Amino acid sequence: MKEQVLARAAALGFDLCRVTDARGPEHADAFRRWLAEGMHGGMAYLERTAERRLNPDLVLPGAQSILLLAISYHRSGSGGAEASEEGAEARGVVARYARHRDYHHVLGPPLSALREFVNELGGVGTRSLEYIDTGPILERDLAHRAGVGFIGKHTNLISRELGNWFFLGSILTTLQLEPDAAAVHRCGTCTRCLAACPTGAITEPFRLDARRCISYLTIEHRGSIPVELRPAIGDRIFGCDDCLAVCPWNRFAREGRLMREAYLPGFDRPSLVELLGMDEATFRVAFRGTPFERAKRRGLLRNVAVALGNTGDGRVLEALERAAGDPEPLVAEHARWAIERIQARGGKSGRSE
Ligand code: SF4
Ligand code: SF4
């Protein structure tokens, strides 16, 4: 039966499919400690679902196996964040995964198809649940145990076949399938990701303080970005790839089929001034069905204001002055900060030039 499931997963376009049993993850104590120290920031749902995350049987009573699926979003020839040329229009950097339509939408249908296949294969009484990043399970730990990849010092999963650029999906099922062998840690003496992190969010190997992580601050975090971290955010307006991009295991990255057609041209380096000028209706149309909906207009424009402040470029002051009067207080506050930062660094007002 396992061979049939693997064949079906490959036919549906999943890049890797591995199986583990439905025991709780091995890192339960470390996860509880991480929560107790508040390192999850405002992600209160992690606390609320902690016990279920540590016990798959509470999520699906009678669960026997968990399928872990990897889906590459690597694009051949795609670079990271090329620096803007001097004097060029200010542009922001978007995390690579977010340069595609929302992966929940893209990957939902093939994942449902695989879940239905598993249920049919198991016959009457077989129950399964599917998740793409949203389920109350610790997918990364389970994917390590299933051999999809190993958890790197940056705390993300690394595949020897896909590098760092992939999503994880999972299917919990009451069907018993033979588990695969766990992955082996392969960071060795490398510490590139720790050195590359602009905010020191990887406080030690295998330990991430989400409260300092730009991915968290620009996407999950709902409120004001701590002032002391704003300069280090640079021109990143949605997520951060720095720790992933420096990892030497990316030499094995390869394109996958499922995300290829979901790529959004023009999302690599969007114009910051154009973004800052968007009203609610424009935002909704421009970003419908994309990961940006998660941050909402208020979150994205907050990030854009920070990035503009970090340019030090007086030509963007006019746009920031308009945003300082935005009806959304979060946007207005970050725009005021940006104006002060540019003026403190000697940038002149665009209107006076
Ligand atoms: S995503 Fe960016 S800020 Fe977060 S840990 Fe990685 S390098 Fe640091
Ligand atoms: S950059 Fe080096 S230390 Fe960091 S996850 Fe990759 S291999 Fe491990």
Side-chain angles (χ1 to χ4, degrees):
M1 277 202 275
K2 183 175 169 186
E3 291 309 313
Q4 290 183 60
V5 173
L6 298 189
R8 183 74 179 144
L12 285 165
F14 293 103
D15 296 300
L16 290 175
C17 177
R18 300 275 191 277
V19 178
T20 187
D21 57 55
R23 281 175 299 128
E26 275 75 11
H27 301 107
D29 289 346
F31 179 61
R32 285 200 184 95
R33 224 174 20 252
W34 186 77
L35 287 176
E37 289 171 12
M39 295 223 177
H40 56 304
M43 294 183 281
Y45 62 90
L46 290 175
E47 267 177 83
R48 276 199 305 276
T49 57
E51 284 316 305
R52 282 193 290 154
R53 281 175 192 274
L54 299 175
N55 187 353
D57 202 57
L58 293 176
V59 180
L60 179 69
Q64 296 293 325
S65 306
I66 307 175
L67 277 97
L68 280 306
L69 300 132
I71 308 99
S72 170
Y73 60 88
H74 175 67
R75 279 180 63 77
S76 300
S78 76
E82 308 83 26
S84 298
E85 282 170 35
E86 191 145 351
E89 183 185 11
R91 292 183 178 274
V93 175
V94 171
R96 291 188 198 188
Y97 88 86
R99 304 172 193 173
H100 300 81
R101 285 192 287 119
D102 189 331
Y103 61 96
H104 301 95
H105 303 170
V106 179
L107 303 177
L111 200 58
S112 293
L114 187 60
R115 177 182 52 76
E116 281 163 21
F117 181 79
V118 168
N119 282 349
E120 279 166 27
L121 201 62
V124 179
T126 304
R127 289 165 293 121
S128 310
L129 290 174
E130 77 204 44
Y131 294 113
I132 180 76
D133 215 23
T134 51
I137 57 172
L138 292 184
E139 282 148 326
R140 238 177 302 184
D141 290 40
L142 297 169
H144 182 108
R145 193 169 78 206
V148 171
F150 65 96
I151 297 176
K153 290 178 185 172
H154 53 22
T155 75
N156 288 296
L157 207 66
I158 301 169
S159 158
R160 296 179 73 195
E161 293 164 69
L162 299 174
N164 287 249
W165 313 111
F166 61 93
F167 299 116
L168 264 183
S170 54
I171 294 177
L172 265 76
T173 178
T174 56
L175 181 65
Q176 193 149 26
L177 295 166
E178 192 195 339
D180 287 296
V184 175
H185 286 289
R186 291 183 187 275
C187 283
T189 55
C190 175
T191 53
R192 284 194 204 178
C193 53
L194 282 92
C197 179
T199 55
I202 310 170
T203 53
E204 57 184 271
F206 309 109
R207 198 163 172 77
L208 178 81
D209 186 346
R211 296 166 299 186
R212 298 186 67 82
C213 174
I214 296 169
S215 286
Y216 167 76
L217 290 170
T218 56
I219 302 173
E220 300 295 330
H221 181 56
R222 298 285 165 241
S224 176
I225 294 176
V227 172
E228 68 279 12
L229 294 176
R230 293 180 192 179
I233 288 175
D235 55 1
R236 300 169 192 82
I237 57 167
F238 196 85
C240 169
D241 283 334
D242 290 28
C243 57
L244 303 181
V246 296
C247 182
W249 288 97
N250 287 331
R251 65 183 180 274
F252 296 113
R254 59 176 163 89
E255 269 193 9
R257 170 153 68 84
L258 288 175
M259 293 306 294
R260 191 181 299 140
E261 288 177 7
Y263 179 69
L264 297 167
F267 273 47
D268 293 27
R269 295 286 274 158
S271 156
L272 292 174
V273 169
E274 268 179 40
L275 289 177
L276 197 67
M278 280 190 311
D279 60 16
E280 194 64 51
T282 316
F283 174 86
R284 273 204 296 272
V285 172
F287 293 111
R288 183 173 297 136
T290 74
F292 291 81
E293 286 183 316
R294 187 157 180 82
K296 302 191 168 59
R297 172 186 179 269
R298 68 195 292 273
L300 179 62
L301 267 60
R302 168 199 64 187
N303 304 339
V304 168
V306 170
L308 281 169
N310 288 336
T311 64
D313 183 350
R315 292 173 303 170
V316 304
L317 278 171
E318 190 172 335
L320 282 168
E321 279 159 11
R322 272 196 303 275
D326 196 278
E328 171 55 62
L330 188 70
V331 175
E333 183 259 305
H334 286 73
R336 283 195 299 276
W337 172 86
I339 292 167
E340 280 170 27
R341 178 161 165 79
I342 291 173
Q343 288 172 341
R345 293 165 76 193
K348 292 192 176 67
S349 166
R351 280 186 294 201
S352 64
E353 284 176 351

